[in-house]
């Protein structure tokens, strides 16, 4: 036996042969067995971009997340990084029951209060990957002055909840592979340990909730009042790719923030293109070098064009800037290393077409930058037009104030929700592109500092931003349930960018509801939402029965026997969720929602509706009058088609309750069908 579980389920993980599993199935009390799955991993400026300021607003109201414990499931942590210093930190609250495992005890302090390893065969929580150190620092890192990468993005690094405590659960190996048996064991322990927030920057492909380890364990955690924030996944921009899509999980997509690490490439014909890079030379050098197209050899279309390690063997590369195509299966830094090993002096990395304007600023080992596919095609066209193509790369450093932000990242996984189409996912988006946070090792090879940082991208980066914001909200409002925190976040989002236009996606067209969910997080407004959609935990049982799961499958999530035929199941769209996602044919549909007043005791809200195209949305009553705090009022919404259109397709709108001080918005996604 490898692990035994008592919170997330009553059961264990063990290495068994097929015949042993068959034998187990005959034993009394057997419920189910499933094969282990391997899941994958999915800042100095983002706090101020999110409106968090010292000694005022939400940071002041929440006392920087003081007293809240964030459990981080990831690749471990590097404990002596200054981001995890406990200067000014109070001791952990009395409810903390966790431990720093024996070989790690001296490394823990009042900031890093727990560290356990569930990596099979390695009992050290030390991070050999970097991902876990980065996510922990993003959620709750301490203030660290003079944080930078190659001098870029210089400033004071700080996590979103700098006075929150961190408990680390290492569930992934150094290659970023995370077994679901380890994830279940870590969450089982975290529930006993006393964490308030779980931050999970991991995920796999969509599965029914009763087969999804993260969904199973999160259900038990949420039942005990723990807020679970998880990455939506990095499989965008394809539709139906969103992971961690259970309604009791906050599912976080990724977007840009308004800092760029700018680099430009200038061609011999005077054309200039903008890219991004965290590389920064010690001295500015705009020398022109000859260009080399790594994909010019027609016989090799799988390795050399992508500058795979070992594929660049042409001696002509020496002293040239190499143009490489981006490959999702390679690390950008490794592509640059490949060019360096072949004698190249620089690299232009052309993104895939689907990436649009999403660019990664990475800590390259040579002068290198990321350019869009459209600009890359122009660079290749120039190279084909002359016998002596040349270019220079110039590093402009940190530029703040991009008015188009936030832009949805191309990689951010999209809805609709496959496991439960009646629940809109992702829930919202947050900063996840080119985020600077703690890193185990210096990326510029300087040996004289522990203050090491790196810039990386992914929904893995947006998730801990939201985990940190959840910690702030929990600290400011200790009585809020996980559903209340999620509702407060979702109903107060921004749907406009800094230029006051609709948020765009990587194609620079307005992002749809399956990319942004409710919109972009606004922490300040989330602390005072006016009304909340609190999902009573008991409602999940009729919801799960309504998904047409068997009694045994529902029982697996609930850890008790259930008979769905004796329960009144509800359609998934009827769950008291802060958004709507419905399939609409010729028959009108009516759903109810209940809101709880946590704003002004005496307050009146009027409904505002922007109906999806071809859909009538009628709300009764159209006015909600509250006379006291925590009062609950219910309204119903009827959706019907306005035309006999036989066209299938997705349309979107929203419903908003407005008082003189609050605005509570719920997005509406409608899939029109002919029948």
């Amino acid at each position: 036996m490898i692990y035994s579980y008592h919170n997330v389920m009553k059961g264990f993980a063990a290495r068994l042969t097929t015949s042993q599993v068959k034998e187990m199935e005959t034993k009394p009390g057997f419920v189910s067995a499933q094969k282990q799955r391997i899941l994958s991993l999915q800042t100095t400026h983002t706090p101020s971009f999110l409106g968090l300021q010292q000694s005022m607003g939400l940071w002041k109201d929440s006392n920087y997340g003081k007293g809240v414990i964030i459990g981080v499931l990831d690749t471990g942590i590097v404990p002596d990084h200054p981001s995890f210093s406990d200067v000014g930190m109070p001791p952990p609250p009395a409810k903390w029951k966790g431990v720093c495992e024996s070989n790690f005890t001296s490394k823990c302090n009042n900031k890093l209060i727990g560290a356990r390893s569930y990596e099979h065969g390695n009992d050290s929580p030390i991070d050999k990957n970097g991902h876990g150190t980065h996510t922990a620092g993003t959620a709750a890192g301490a203030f660290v002055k003079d944080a930078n990468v190659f001098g870029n993005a210089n400033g004071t690094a700080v996590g979103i909840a700098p006075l929150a405590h961190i408990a680390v659960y290492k569930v992934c190996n150094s290659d970023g592979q995370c077994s679901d048996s380890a994830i279940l064991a870590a969450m089982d322990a975290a529930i006993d340990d006393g964490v308030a927030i779980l931050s999970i920057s991991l995920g796999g492909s969509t599965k029914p909730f009763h087969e999804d380890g993260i969904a199973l364990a999160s259900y038990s955690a949420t039942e005990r009042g723990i807020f679970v924030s998880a990455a939506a996944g990095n499989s965008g921009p394809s539709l139906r790719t969103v992971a961690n899509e259970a309604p009791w999980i906050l599912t976080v997509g990724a977007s840009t923030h308004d800092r760029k690490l700018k680099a430009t490439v200038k061609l011999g014909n005077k054309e200039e293109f903008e890219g991004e890079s965290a590389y920064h030379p010690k001295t500015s050098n705009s020398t022109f070098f000859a260009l080399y197209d790594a994909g010019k050899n027609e016989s090799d279309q799988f390795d050399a064009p992508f500058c795979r390690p070992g594929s660049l063997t042409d001696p002509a590369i020496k002293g040239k800037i190499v143009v490489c195509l981006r490959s999702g299966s390679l690390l950008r830094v490794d592509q640059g290393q490949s060019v360096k090993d072949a004698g190249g002096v620089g690299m232009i990395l052309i993104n895939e077409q689907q990436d649009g304007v999403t660019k990664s600023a990475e800590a390259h080992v040579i002068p290198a930058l990321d350019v869009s596919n459209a600009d890359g095609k122009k660079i290749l066209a120039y190279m084909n037009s002359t016998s002596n193509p040349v270019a220079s790369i110039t590093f402009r450093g940190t530029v703040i104030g991009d008015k188009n932000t936030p832009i949805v990242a191309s990689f951010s996984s999209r809805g609709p929700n496959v496991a439960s189409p009646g629940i809109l996912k992702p829930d919202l988006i947050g900063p996840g592109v080119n985020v600077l946070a703690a890193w185990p090792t210096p990326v510029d090879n300087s040996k004289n500092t522990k203050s090491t940082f790196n810039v990386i991208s992914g929904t893995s980066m947006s998730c801990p931003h939201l985990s940190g914001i959840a910690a702030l909200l929990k600290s400011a409002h200790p009585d809020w349930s996980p559903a209340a925190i999620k509702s407060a976040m979702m109903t107060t989002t921004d749907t406009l960018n800094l230029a006051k236009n609709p948020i765009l996606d990587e194609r620079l067209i307005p992002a749809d509801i399956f990319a942004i969910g409710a919109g972009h997080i606004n922490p300040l407004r989330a602390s005072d939402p006016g009304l909340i959609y609190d999902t009573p935990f008991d409602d999940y049982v009729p919801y799960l029965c309504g998904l047409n799961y068997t009694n045994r499958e529902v029982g697996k999530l609930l850890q008790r026997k259930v008979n769905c035929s004796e329960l009144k199941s509800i359609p998934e769209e009827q769950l008291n969720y802060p958004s709507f996602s419905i399939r609409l044919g010729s028959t009108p549909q009516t759903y109810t929602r209940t809101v709880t007043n946590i704003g002004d005791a005496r307050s009146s809200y009027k409904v505002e509706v922007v109906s999806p195209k071809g859909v009538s949305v009628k709300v009764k009553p159209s006015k909600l009058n509250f006379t006291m705090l925590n009062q609950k009022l219910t309204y119903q919404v009827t959706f019907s088609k306005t035309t006999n259109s036989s066209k299938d397709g997705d349309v979107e709108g929203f419903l908003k309750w407005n008082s003189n001080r609050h605005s509570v918005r719920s997005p509406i996604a409608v899939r029109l069908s002919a029948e």
Side-chain angles (χ1 to χ4, degrees):
M1 193 159 78
I2 301 170
Y3 303 115
S4 65
Y5 312 116
H6 64 275
N7 288 319
V8 296
M9 65 166 79
K10 306 292 182 280
F12 60 89
R15 285 198 174 81
L16 299 173
T17 64
T18 313
S19 57
Q20 286 171 319
V21 172
K22 288 228 174 339
E23 193 185 329
M24 284 289 304
E25 288 171 359
T26 65
K27 306 275 187 212
F30 176 84
V31 176
S32 69
Q34 68 191 59
K35 212 172 157 186
Q36 164 146 296
R37 276 212 300 168
I38 302 294
L39 307 183
S40 52
L41 300 167
Q42 302 286 22
T43 167
T44 49
H45 183 63
T46 50
S48 63
F49 173 67
L50 292 169
L52 298 172
Q53 296 174 3
Q54 287 198 57
S55 308
M56 61 190 292
L58 182 55
W59 259 357
K60 180 169 177 265
D61 295 345
S62 67
N63 205 352
Y64 301 89
K66 188 176 179 180
V68 178
I69 302 164
I70 302 176
V72 181
L73 271 68
D74 217 296
T75 61
I77 196 163
V78 172
D80 45 9
H81 192 285
S83 287
F84 311 119
S85 154
D86 67 349
V87 174
M89 287 286 301
K95 70 168 189 167
W96 175 245
K97 303 286 187 289
V99 296
C100 283
E101 289 181 342
S102 54
N103 60 353
F104 217 74
T105 312
S106 63
K107 300 285 190 185
C108 283
N109 56 24
N110 285 335
K111 164 60 76 178
L112 178 61
I113 61 171
R116 298 175 183 265
S117 176
Y118 295 90
E119 185 195 346
H120 196 59
N122 178 6
D123 61 357
S124 168
I126 290 281
D127 182 8
K128 294 281 175 58
N129 175 290
H131 193 273
T133 300
H134 198 281
T135 54
T138 300
F143 287 88
V144 182
K145 288 184 174 157
D146 300 321
N148 66 81
V149 174
F150 285 114
N152 284 307
N154 196 16
T156 297
V158 62
I160 298 296
L163 287 187
H165 306 281
I166 297 169
V168 165
Y169 301 85
K170 184 179 185 179
V171 296
C172 310
N173 63 20
S174 57
D175 296 329
Q177 293 183 309
C178 324
S179 72
D180 56 4
S181 63
I183 293 165
L184 285 167
M187 292 177 78
D188 204 68
I191 290 169
D192 282 339
D193 288 349
V195 304
I197 315 287
L198 276 168
S199 190
I200 306 176
S201 290
L202 330 163
S205 53
T206 183
K207 285 258 187 204
F209 301 143
H210 56 85
E211 289 179 19
D212 180 337
I214 291 176
L216 265 168
S218 298
Y219 185 85
S220 300
T222 309
E223 189 173 14
R224 288 164 174 81
I226 298 168
F227 182 91
V228 182
S229 165
N234 297 338
S235 301
S238 304
L239 292 171
R240 294 179 180 77
T241 51
V242 66
N244 297 323
E245 61 269 60
W248 48 86
I249 296 173
L250 181 78
T251 312
V252 188
S255 50
T256 62
H257 55 101
D258 65 340
R259 180 190 66 208
K260 280 187 177 174
L261 303 182
K262 195 170 160 184
T264 55
V265 56
K266 192 172 189 178
L267 306 180
N269 64 0
K270 304 284 195 293
E271 274 191 288
E272 204 166 320
F273 301 101
E274 185 182 307
E276 291 205 47
S277 179
Y279 181 87
H280 205 69
K282 299 247 181 322
T283 55
S284 182
N285 186 350
S286 298
T287 310
F288 278 85
F289 292 95
L291 284 168
Y292 180 93
D293 177 7
K296 69 178 187 177
N297 181 353
E298 295 292 324
S299 64
D300 177 3
Q301 287 306 302
F302 297 105
D303 293 321
F306 302 100
C307 302
R308 279 186 199 281
S311 68
L312 301 177
T313 53
D314 187 345
I317 290 171
K318 201 169 171 60
K320 292 181 179 156
I321 294 173
V322 181
V323 178
C324 308
L325 300 180
R326 175 74 196 116
S327 165
S329 64
L330 295 170
L331 294 172
R332 287 175 168 82
V333 173
D334 289 350
Q335 290 179 277
Q337 184 68 52
S338 179
V339 170
K340 187 179 185 180
D341 292 345
V345 294
M347 175 178 71
I348 298 167
L349 196 52
I350 300 175
N351 276 336
E352 295 176 74
Q353 190 163 353
Q354 66 178 27
D355 288 328
V357 298
T358 302
K359 298 174 196 142
S360 281
E362 302 222 0
H364 286 287
V365 293
I366 53 169
L369 80 166
D370 228 33
V371 298
S372 71
N373 187 269
D375 288 348
K377 282 178 176 157
K378 291 173 188 167
I379 293 167
L380 290 171
Y382 158 72
M383 291 173 71
N384 289 331
S385 72
T386 173
S387 56
N388 184 26
V390 293
S392 72
I393 299 174
T394 307
F395 296 92
R396 311 276 182 196
T398 311
V399 180
I400 289 177
D402 180 355
K403 290 286 182 234
N404 274 337
T405 54
I407 295 172
V408 180
S410 60
F411 56 75
S412 186
S413 287
R414 309 298 210 262
N417 182 342
V418 174
S420 181
I423 301 292
L424 179 64
K425 292 283 176 168
D427 288 311
L428 40 61
I429 55 173
V433 179
N434 301 332
V435 173
L436 181 139
W439 199 249
T441 52
V443 291
D444 57 359
N445 295 321
S446 61
K447 299 281 186 283
N448 56 355
T449 178
K450 285 180 178 172
S451 186
T452 51
F453 293 84
N454 198 4
V455 173
I456 55 176
S457 299
T459 54
S460 280
M461 282 62 257
S462 46
C463 166
H465 278 91
L466 273 294
S467 308
I469 292 164
L472 298 180
L473 295 175
K474 187 72 182 167
S475 184
H477 309 279
D479 56 332
W480 281 12
S481 68
I485 293 172
K486 181 200 275 197
S487 173
M489 289 174 163
M490 288 174 64
T491 59
T492 57
T493 53
D494 291 318
T495 55
L496 302 179
N497 60 22
L498 294 183
K500 299 291 178 231
N501 295 318
I503 290 173
L504 305 174
D505 68 14
E506 73 287 344
R507 299 165 295 180
L508 295 181
I509 63 173
D512 68 28
I513 202 164
F514 298 125
I516 66 170
H520 186 278
I521 184 67
N522 182 318
L524 218 54
R525 279 212 303 265
S527 190
D528 182 20
L531 306 176
I532 51 165
Y533 294 80
D534 208 354
T535 312
F537 204 79
D538 289 347
D539 284 11
Y540 289 125
V541 181
Y543 158 80
L544 290 166
C545 288
L547 288 176
N548 293 326
Y549 289 172
T550 65
N551 289 337
R552 178 175 275 196
E553 288 165 351
V554 176
K556 200 171 154 188
L557 280 152
L558 271 54
Q559 299 180 54
R560 57 183 166 83
K561 282 200 165 155
V562 174
N563 187 346
C564 282
S565 61
E566 291 173 2
L567 286 163
K568 191 175 186 304
S569 69
I570 58 169
E572 48 190 320
E573 300 86 350
Q574 176 57 33
L575 189 69
N576 200 45
Y577 209 70
S579 57
F580 294 86
S581 175
I582 70 161
R583 188 181 175 94
L584 187 61
S586 51
T587 312
Q589 291 176 34
T590 300
Y591 300 104
T592 60
R593 291 288 189 270
T594 299
V595 286
T596 307
N597 178 26
I598 60 167
D600 302 317
R602 298 189 71 81
S603 51
S604 181
Y605 288 80
K606 274 187 182 162
V607 76
E608 172 194 346
V609 175
V610 171
S611 296
K613 194 174 179 187
V615 177
S616 156
V617 180
K618 292 206 161 33
V619 181
K620 281 184 185 168
S622 59
K623 200 171 181 186
L624 298 175
N625 294 313
F626 294 93
T627 55
M628 56 185 171
L629 283 174
N630 297 314
Q631 183 182 354
K632 293 180 188 294
L633 290 176
T634 298
Y635 67 91
Q636 65 177 38
V637 192
T638 301
F639 300 94
S640 52
K641 278 183 161 181
T642 55
T643 60
N644 294 329
S645 166
S646 59
K647 259 173 63 177
D648 290 3
D650 296 301
V651 288
E652 61 183 78
F654 63 85
L655 174 164
K656 199 189 271 189
W657 290 100
N658 298 312
S659 74
N660 58 3
R661 209 166 68 78
H662 295 101
S663 187
V664 187
R665 182 183 182 277
S666 291
I668 299 169
V670 179
R671 164 143 285 201
L672 296 170
S673 62
E675 72 277 2

